[in-house]
Amino acid sequence: MTTNPNSSGLPAAAPVVRLVDELHKLPGIGAKNAQRLTYHLVRMPAREARALAEAILAVKDLVSLCVHCQNITDQNPCPLCANPSRDRSTICVVEEPLDVLAVERSNAYRGLYHVLHGAISPMNGIGPDELKMSELIDRLKASEAGGEAVREVILATNSNMAGEATSMYLFRLLEPLEVRVTRLARGLPTGAELEYADETTISRAFEGRQDFF
């Protein structure tokens, strides 16, 4: 056993130190949780550990972004974009892939989506160029040129400071285009994230959506 310390200063084997450090990089995983997860994995049967490792590798090898909506998928285009029964005249813009799942659970929306993969946050070094905004504009222009023009874009970003800043920036980008821009009704609590809203709240927010300005 080596004496290389992990983030807690405790001596541990080099592979253990490495795993603690890698787990600590994950969002929401502090130093203590990284250690607990590591030692749980050490005690885990080899078959289960390999299954976990294979699942992680499969996500990296087989999952990509949909060529249209930028949602994560294992086929291109994704099942939602490929579904002919979806309303192709409406696009709902969300921050994260989990937001798509939340909206789908509500059964309140039958259009298409566009996933930004984040929100504008200068404090965290995230600007418009780090988000999938240009892909949205290109998509809208392509739909118009292809004879299936999108008539409405619903801005369903989270109702917090980053989400509001993102909506405002997107509205300015969309303003020159001939498309109606709406936002979800404020049935969603201020500061709440779409991912955690219940189905009824999301459904009412879609029903009461209003023009952005």
Side-chain angles (χ1 to χ4, degrees), residues 55-89:
I56 294 173
L57 290 174
V59 164
K60 298 307 296 179
D61 293 340
L62 303 177
V63 173
S64 60
L65 300 184
C66 174
V67 293
H68 299 311
C69 71
Q70 307 299 312
N71 196 9
I72 55 175
T73 182
D74 60 352
Q75 62 186 72
N76 252 313
C78 73
L80 289 173
C81 287
N83 187 344
S85 69
R86 305 293 297 201
D87 178 6
R88 314 194 92 73
S89 69

